[in-house]
Structure formats: C-alpha cells, structure tokens
Amino acid sequence: MTASTLDTSARTPLKGWLAVLAVTLGIFSLVTTEILPIGLLTPIGEDFRISPGTAGLTMTLPGFLAALAAPAVTVAAGRLDRRGLLCALMAVLALADLVAATAQVYWAVLASRVLVGLVIGAFWAIGSGLATRLVGPGRAGTATAVIFSAVPLGSVLGVPAGTFVGELFGWRAAFAVMGVFTLAVLAALALSLPPLPSARATRLDVLREMTRGRATRLGLLVTVLVVLAHFGTYTYVTPLLRDVTQVRPELITVFLLVYGTAGIAGNFVAGATIARDLRLTFLTAAGLIGVATLALPFLGGSKPGALVLLVVWGFAYGAVPVCSGTWFAQAAPHAPEAASVLFTSSFQATLSAGALLGGFVVDSVSVPAVMVAGGVVALLAAGVLSRARTA
C-alpha cells in the first residue's frame, strides 16, 4: 500500500478538499506576503527615505533565500511529518508579517523578509505537490490547478487589498492584516491536514540526477528567462502607472485588480491547455508577456492602453507557474517532491534576480527602460521554446 493510499483511504472527499483549500490559502498567504511590497514600494521608500531600487530589496531577499530553503529544509526534514512542518512554517510567516508591521528601521523590514524567504521555499516545495496525497490520483489534476490558483489570487486579491489598506492606513497596516490572516490559515491547516509522513526522503543526489535530464534543463532555462522578465518589470509596475500612465494612487488598486483577475483566468485556461500541448502553452505565455511589457512604455501613456496591456500581461503570467510546475513534474514523475523543490528553487531565485536587476535598471536609467528590457528577455524565452523539439 502506497503513502498516497494510506493518506486518502480513510478520508472523505470533503475532508480532502478542505485540506486542499487550507494548502491553497497557505500558498495564497505566502504569495501575497512575498509580492505585497510591489504595491507599497513608494510609501516604504518615502518612509525610510530610500530609492525605489533600494526599496525593491524587499522583493529580492525572499526569493534568493527561498531558492536556498527549498532544498535545504526539505532535505533536512528527512521523514518528518509534513503536516507539522507546514504548520510550523505558517507560524514563522505570521511572525515575519508582524515584524514588518512594527519595523522602525529599514533593516528590520529586511530581517522580516529573510524569514519570509525561508518559509516560502520550504512551504512551496512541500505544499505544491500534495494534491495526490490529499484527494487521490483521480482528482489530483483539479486539486493541483486549485492550489496553483493561489498565485494569481495573490495578485488579484492580496496585492490590491494590501495596496488599498496601505493607502488608507499606512503600509505597516497591510503587513499587520497579513499577519492576522496568516494565523487564521495556520489554524485551518492544523484542523484540516491529515498526518503526512514522508514516504521517501528527498536527497541531494536525487536533485542532482534531475538536473542532468534534457527536459529538466530546458525547463530551467525557460523558467529562468520568463520569471526574470516578469519580476524585473512587474516589481516596478506601480511607479510606471504613477509616472507614465499618470494614474492617481487610489486607482492603482483597480489597475492591479484588473491584472490579477486576468491572471486567474490565465491559470485555469493553462490548466486545460497544457494537457494538449504544454510547450505551446508555455511559449504563448512567454510571448504575450514580452509583447505586453515591451508595449507599455509606448502605449501605456493612456489609461485604456495600460489596462488592455495589463490584461494581456496578467492572463499570460497566470499560466506561467502551472506551466513551469507541470514541466518539472513531467520531467521527474518518479520523484514528485524533488520536482517541486527544483521548481521552487529556480522560480524563487529568478524572482529575486529579476527584482534586483530591475532595480539597477530603474535607478540607473528609468522605469520604461526596465519594461523594454524585460520584454526582450520574455521574447527570448518564447524563441527558445519555439526551437525545442520536445516538451
């Protein structure tokens, strides 16, 4: 009897789906906390009298640390029960939110972001691959789409709501609200998750073996290019909307809401189309991101033009996490947790690199320049996929 059978045999479908919902909320909390500074970069920078590029470190630190934490924590955890580990990680995330909310100096904010990075890497690596263990193989596809929907939901609900709270009550209030929400998610995980003993400990040699495969290397290259392009540009979308589109601060939330709504649609459309052609779905997403970000500095001067491009961008990026995660899973069907670790590490490291490099371009050239650079990189990813023989 397999670990998956042991996990689901004594559980009703309702209990399994409640557990899926709790994991989805956990990842929603992670994603929202990680990208929350995108909508708050300006007030954070003004409060501590730092440049937008320096404020962008709040986006850089978590991703780099998550990339290290994904393999380190997963390997170190060995055969520890994943239920207890996920709950402990969520408690640390709540602490990080509250540290940011009470920070009086910028280094304290960065310290909180270190904790965020550690939690993201470990929780993502474990939680994103739990669908089969929670609801069984027959419903795993749908459950996986639900779990990955937390990524665009973080954009459609988390970031706009955080921006709105920040505009009304200050950026610290946005982190305080996330801290309280995360504690509620911790309770949901503790109540709904079954015992999740590790059937097979993830080892470093398994991860090394995965990176030798052609499909894995291609997935790594494309993931790096697309995520680099996206977060090198999206991290600075608020300054673009303020300075180029001339959107009033109170309306930026609406623009981000439109972007996130399109992302949710893109996530579920991709969930359906990757079964037919994963490579083409990934290629289309990369190409649309490239076109949208390249066009924003030129067509984003008007509010309608910016909105249309944000819809295209959001729809395309909504497909990226599920495409990348599925690519790695198909490349290593025998080691699902190892595939999740590799996906998480590559995604998070590149997320931070994009925010960091984007900050350099913004500080040395301009916000429109970073949009053009990101668009070129995304189109390069589409070109790589177009020449790939197999997915």
Side-chain angles (χ1 to χ4, degrees):
M1 186 174 281
T2 66
S4 161
T5 304
L6 287 170
D7 292 338
T8 59
S9 60
R11 290 172 59 77
T12 66
L14 176 59
K15 287 182 178 179
W17 283 108
L18 287 175
V20 168
L21 177 60
V23 172
T24 303
L25 290 174
I27 293 180
F28 170 81
S29 185
L30 292 174
V31 170
T32 301
T33 299
E34 182 176 21
I35 66 178
L36 188 59
I38 289 175
L40 304 171
L41 279 184
T42 300
I44 290 174
E46 291 173 350
D47 200 355
F48 294 109
R49 299 180 181 178
I50 55 179
S51 70
T54 302
L57 287 173
T58 56
M59 283 291 296
T60 302
L61 277 179
F64 281 136
L65 287 163
L68 297 173
V73 175
T74 307
V75 170
R79 293 185 178 274
L80 285 178
D81 188 284
R82 274 27 183 173
R83 175 180 180 271
L85 185 56
L86 290 177
C87 289
L89 291 168
M90 200 52 47
V92 175
L93 183 64
L95 174 64
D97 286 324
L98 296 177
V99 168
T102 57
Q104 297 303 308
V105 290
Y106 187 53
W107 68 260
V109 176
L110 295 182
S112 76
R113 303 301 286 173
V114 169
L115 294 177
V116 170
L118 294 175
V119 173
I120 289 170
F123 195 104
W124 251 116
I126 297 168
S128 62
L130 285 179
T132 300
R133 298 188 69 180
L134 296 176
V135 297
R139 306 181 187 92
T142 302
T144 298
V146 170
I147 289 172
F148 274 98
S149 72
V151 178
L153 278 172
S155 297
V156 71
L157 296 177
V159 173
T163 304
F164 180 71
V165 171
E167 293 288 348
L168 289 181
F169 305 108
W171 64 269
R172 289 183 178 82
F175 282 99
V177 170
M178 280 308 304
V180 174
F181 175 80
T182 302
L183 288 174
V185 174
L186 169 59
L189 288 169
L191 292 171
S192 65
L193 285 180
L196 294 169
S198 177
R200 176 188 300 172
T202 298
R203 301 187 310 275
L204 288 176
D205 59 331
V206 176
L207 296 173
R208 284 195 296 267
E209 183 64 29
M210 278 188 62
T211 60
R212 294 171 183 162
R214 180 180 177 277
T216 300
R217 290 181 177 180
L218 180 59
L220 279 170
L221 175 59
V222 174
T223 296
V224 165
L225 290 174
V226 174
V227 177
L228 187 73
H230 173 75
F231 280 98
T233 51
Y234 186 61
T235 301
Y236 304 98
V237 72
T238 296
L240 179 93
L241 292 174
R242 289 189 180 215
D243 299 338
V244 175
T245 315
Q246 301 292 310
V247 178
R248 297 194 307 273
E250 61 271 20
L251 286 181
I252 288 179
T253 300
V254 176
F255 278 66
L256 295 177
L257 184 66
V258 169
Y259 166 91
T261 302
I264 293 175
N267 174 80
F268 284 103
V269 169
T273 60
I274 58 177
R276 295 194 293 271
D277 196 327
L278 173 57
R279 183 186 66 86
L280 182 59
T281 302
F282 212 170
L283 186 158
T284 302
L288 289 176
I289 290 172
V291 170
T293 52
L294 268 175
L296 263 173
F298 307 101
L299 304 178
S302 69
K303 293 179 180 62
L307 273 174
V308 169
L309 291 173
L310 282 175
V311 168
V312 174
W313 188 358
F315 182 84
Y317 180 69
V320 169
V322 69
C323 283
S324 180
T326 302
W327 193 294
F328 286 116
Q330 290 185 1
H334 58 285
E337 189 169 88
S340 294
V341 167
L342 196 57
F343 161 70
T344 301
S345 291
S346 61
F347 204 94
Q348 292 296 330
T350 314
L351 180 158
S352 289
L356 180 63
L357 294 174
F360 288 148
V361 175
V362 167
D363 285 348
S364 60
V365 187
S366 66
V367 173
V370 83
M371 296 292 162
V372 173
V376 171
V377 174
L379 291 179
L380 177 60
V384 169
L385 280 168
S386 71
R387 297 177 63 84
R389 292 194 302 272
T390 63

